[in-house]
Amino acid sequence: MVEEKSKPKRIGLLTSGGDAPGMNAAIRAVVRAGIFHGLEVYGIYSGYRGLIEDDIVPMKEQSVSGIINHGGTILRAGRCEEFKTEEGMALAEKNCRKHNLDALVIIGGDGSFRGGLEFYNLHAVNTIGVPASIDNDIAGTDASIGFDTAVNTAMVCVDKLRDTAEAHERIFVVEVMGRASGAIAIDVAVACGAEGILVPEVEMDIPALCKTLQVGKERGKNSFIVIVAEGATSAFHVAREIEERLGRETRVLVLGHLQRGGPPTAHDREMASKMGAYAVDLLLAGKNTRMVGIQSGKMVDHHLSHAWEERAPFDEQSLLLAKRLAI
Ligand code: ADP
Ligand code: F6P
């Protein structure tokens, strides 16, 4: 039985780090589940900066109407170096006290969770993490909010590219996001039947890539798509290497921040809703400094430090499949 005193009455909610499609669904779930359970929910704008600058507003049921289908975050996200200082955290704690916030729900990546844990260690404000990052680089969960949408956005772009690559018998090198993770690249390569893929988790082998492209050409293939994760190398570098070695016309497309926008997929909306509601359940159960996750379809929770102390899932099987099917 959870002691009444450890149950929160008023919680703060923020989105931090790189924004991710589905964050709004998570915000909506935390607000509505919190109100359902009799909690007051306060929105904090622009990540931890809003906590430091007291940019904090009460959220009502209607505050989150009509947002589940929109990318981005109504609370804005952001990075805040000041929160990494004791002075910044002291200001943040003063504002938590001013608004009588018993706990914070942090929707963000492992960096944001690290900030939440440091804040708890320094000022004993409870924090619960909801994993949101298109990179899917957070340990403790099979997927983070935004990853599925980013993969689908990149897939649609690459499908369009295939048309012109076929028309001109060209090679296209497409750079996708992911910071130090190759997760987006791997899923896009499998989904689009890419002829080549480079990820930071595997040592780059340009000669082997060129050999694959050459064999494909000899087998009669007319178009070639090479997916490069930004953490592996620059797509422009790969394109130059291919042109020099094969003498073939090669073009580059960097998808960049397109992968962070657009309406979240059903999968991301549902997962974000479950994660947001589960974060509230953890608070009601008196849990401290936990992160929400979904593993084998089940809601789980781990200590916040799990997000960066363990390794995020690396889907080597899918990488090998992408290469095997690209013959
Ligand atoms: P993500 O959450 O997407 O990994 P970042 O790593 O950029 O994003 O972190 C987002 C924000 O979290 C930072 O701008 C900072 O405000 C806060 N943060 C990250 N690491 C720490 C830390 N060690 N101590 C305090 N705050 C941190
Ligand atoms: O972490 C999400 C992410 O989109 C990474 O994939 C990318 O490298 C980074 O953020 C870009 O950061 P910014 O939006 O600050 O340019």
Side-chain angles (χ1 to χ4, degrees), residues 5-317:
K5 72 174 175 55
S6 66
K7 267 188 180 178
K9 293 181 178 55
R10 188 176 282 191
I11 62 177
L13 169 62
L14 61 86
T15 48
S16 171
D19 66 302
M23 278 185 162
N24 279 325
I27 290 169
R28 173 178 175 273
V30 171
V31 170
R32 296 255 169 108
I35 291 171
F36 176 83
H37 289 289
L39 306 183
E40 290 179 76
V41 185
Y42 278 66
I44 301 159
Y45 282 104
S46 307
Y48 290 112
R49 176 163 308 290
L51 209 48
I52 291 174
E53 296 177 353
D54 193 11
D55 196 357
I56 301 172
V57 296
M59 304 284 279
K60 300 297 174 208
E61 295 90 332
Q62 62 274 25
S63 308
V64 291
S65 298
I67 68 168
I68 194 169
N69 56 325
H70 291 285
T73 156
I74 60 167
L75 292 177
R76 299 193 295 278
R79 298 188 170 95
C80 175
E81 286 308 303
E82 195 181 351
F83 192 70
K84 295 182 179 178
T85 69
E86 288 204 9
E87 298 73 21
M89 284 205 178
L91 283 171
E93 193 271 340
K94 183 167 75 67
N95 290 319
C96 281
R97 265 191 295 109
K98 175 182 172 186
H99 294 275
N100 296 312
L101 300 180
D102 307 313
L104 298 176
V105 174
I106 313 290
I107 301 171
D110 58 309
S112 301
F113 292 1
R114 197 185 284 259
L117 184 59
E118 304 252 337
F119 191 51
Y120 174 79
N121 291 337
L122 214 53
H123 295 292
V125 176
N126 188 14
T127 50
I128 299 287
V130 175
S133 166
I134 66 166
D135 304 340
N136 207 35
D137 57 354
I138 304 169
T141 182
D142 291 345
S144 52
I145 295 167
F147 173 63
D148 185 62
T149 304
V151 168
N152 278 275
T153 298
M155 179 192 72
V156 168
C157 294
V158 171
D159 284 351
K160 292 175 190 288
L161 212 51
R162 180 70 78 174
D163 295 342
T164 180
E166 279 287 334
H168 289 269
E169 298 183 75
R170 275 175 175 161
I171 301 170
F172 272 88
V173 181
V174 180
E175 185 176 301
V176 296
M177 280 189 161
R179 216 188 284 260
S181 165
I184 294 175
I186 290 170
D187 279 33
V188 173
V190 174
C192 296
E195 282 71 27
I197 175 170
L198 295 175
V199 294
E201 295 91 344
V202 176
E203 192 177 340
M204 193 163 61
D205 185 345
I206 297 280
L209 170 66
C210 289
K211 175 85 175 134
T212 302
L213 299 178
Q214 195 53 32
V215 168
K217 178 78 179 161
E218 288 158 8
R219 198 169 58 69
K221 285 178 85 86
N222 289 323
S223 69
F224 301 85
I225 302 281
V226 177
I227 306 293
V228 176
E230 63 178 348
T233 185
S234 146
F236 292 96
H237 167 69
V238 176
R240 272 195 310 275
E241 289 280 340
I242 292 171
E243 281 191 330
E244 282 164 19
R245 294 165 186 263
L246 300 182
R248 304 266 303 283
E249 203 174 31
T250 305
R251 292 285 191 273
V252 174
L253 176 68
V254 178
L255 291 179
H257 288 71
L258 276 177
Q259 298 157 97
R260 291 251 289 268
T265 57
H267 177 272
D268 267 336
R269 297 182 201 190
E270 289 173 60
M271 187 176 75
S273 299
K274 291 173 184 171
M275 286 180 163
Y278 192 64
V280 173
D281 291 344
L282 290 174
L283 288 169
L284 294 170
K287 297 286 185 95
N288 267 10
T289 59
R290 308 293 289 177
M291 66 163 280
V292 168
I294 192 158
Q295 289 176 320
S296 308
K298 296 264 185 305
M299 298 312 298
V300 297
D301 61 281
H302 304 280
H303 187 265
L304 282 171
S305 59
H306 189 98
W308 62 86
E309 287 177 354
E310 304 297 326
R311 266 180 60 81
F314 171 52
D315 189 355
E316 190 172 20
Q317 291 309 311

